[in-house]
Amino acid sequence: MKRWFKGALVLSVLGILGWAVPSVGYEAMSVTNGGTIVGEVKYAGDPPPPEKLPVTKDQKVCGSEPKLSQALLVGPNKGLQNAVLSLADIKKGKAQEKPAKNPTLDQKGCEYHPHAQSFPAGTTLDILNSDDVLHNVKTASTVNSPINIAQPKFKKKISQVFGKPETIKVQCDVHGWMQAVLVLTEHPYYALTDTNGSFKIADVPPGKYTLKVWHEKLGEQTKEVTVKEKEEVKVAFELKGK
Ligand SMILES: [Cu+2]
């Protein structure tokens, strides 16, 4: 057996067993001369009005008014919220720190709060049920094992760890309109755009990188970006509706 094939086989077996396969090629180091990437992600063209999602059950708890979809949030200046930026090919940089408090995904009013969030892979996520109703948390993850957990109204918290970097869509099987996005990061060079579509990635070691943007409805795009020591570089993305 060729050596590379053996190596690949060992890695894939470890992966199947659910071991944390060391993320290939990211190395932590101290960064003192880093630059900053700032930018905006905009929606190209005229955005459609937010989709109305009818509440088809549990109206006593969930309300009877349709929920406004959070999957495409475009601000007045066409800034796109919750677009995920990442330096796709960074090999070395500052260490990724786990958040001081566990991030939460709250099911409240039969909606997920927040709709999209990012945190380091391996962090414990507290999934809360603030509603007096049964929810069901289901992921369509492929790198991490998918989960499908009923969360009755008396079970106020489920703690879940997703060990590997992946962007995961979450949905509730009981209430089909409930959807969320979790971005499990492999290094600290990720950002989610704010309500104006703005983002900032700081302490980037000088060099050339591929900056990727991904949005749950609009797909992805990449741009080459050159970061210089202690300088700020501006990048603009425009994503088209499908
Ligand atoms: Cu639900």
Side-chain angles (χ1 to χ4, degrees):
M1 214 181 323
K2 288 214 172 94
R3 193 180 293 165
W4 65 265
F5 182 71
K6 267 190 197 165
L9 196 66
V10 168
L11 278 181
S12 53
V13 168
L14 286 177
I16 289 162
L17 293 176
W19 288 51
V21 177
S23 118
V24 187
Y26 185 75
E27 194 184 316
M29 63 169 190
S30 79
V31 178
T32 53
N33 59 347
T36 305
I37 305 169
V38 293
E40 280 183 333
V41 183
K42 295 204 173 197
Y43 184 90
D46 292 321
E51 198 184 343
K52 288 183 177 174
L53 308 170
V55 174
T56 48
K57 66 190 293 190
D58 294 328
Q59 294 188 342
K60 268 191 186 160
V61 174
C62 302
S64 52
E65 288 297 306
K67 304 289 183 191
L68 290 181
S69 170
Q70 305 290 297
L72 181 62
L73 298 173
V74 182
N77 62 350
K78 298 193 181 178
L80 180 67
Q81 193 181 342
N82 289 336
V84 181
L85 283 301
S86 61
L87 288 181
D89 54 356
I90 192 162
K91 300 277 183 264
K92 263 182 167 186
K94 63 182 175 182
Q96 174 159 251
E97 284 174 23
K98 287 207 173 161
K101 260 177 64 183
N102 289 353
T104 58
L105 178 65
D106 194 6
Q107 298 157 109
K108 195 173 182 183
C110 304
E111 289 182 290
Y112 287 117
H113 302 273
H115 173 72
Q117 61 181 312
S118 74
F119 48 84
T123 305
T124 301
L125 173 71
D126 289 336
I127 303 171
L128 310 177
N129 186 354
S130 299
D131 289 334
D132 203 14
V133 74
L134 166 77
H135 289 295
N136 177 281
V137 189
K138 185 177 172 182
T139 67
S141 51
T142 55
V143 180
N144 292 275
S145 307
I147 62 165
N148 188 358
I149 309 171
Q151 190 166 9
K153 57 187 176 184
F154 57 82
K155 198 164 183 179
K156 290 299 166 199
K157 184 169 100 176
I158 292 173
S159 294
Q160 182 72 33
V161 178
F162 301 96
K164 297 169 198 165
E166 186 178 12
T167 296
I168 297 177
K169 289 187 179 177
V170 181
Q171 71 170 72
C172 175
D173 268 357
V174 183
H175 310 107
W177 62 86
M178 292 177 67
Q179 294 190 346
V181 173
L182 304 173
V183 182
L184 313 171
T185 61
E186 60 181 320
H187 54 66
Y189 299 105
Y190 278 76
L192 255 65
T193 50
D194 63 15
T195 51
N196 298 313
S198 303
F199 69 89
K200 181 178 174 178
I201 299 176
D203 304 320
V204 183
K208 280 189 179 173
Y209 301 98
T210 302
L211 177 63
K212 185 170 98 173
V213 61
W214 175 89
H215 182 270
E216 61 183 290
K217 284 281 182 196
L218 308 178
E220 67 177 61
Q221 249 182 46
T222 58
K223 275 196 176 171
E224 299 309 305
V225 50
T226 301
V227 177
K228 292 184 181 154
E229 190 170 325
K230 293 190 175 172
E231 282 185 22
E232 191 175 272
V233 54
K234 282 199 166 80
V235 183
F237 283 102
E238 245 193 9
L239 295 182
K240 279 199 180 78
K242 285 182 175 171

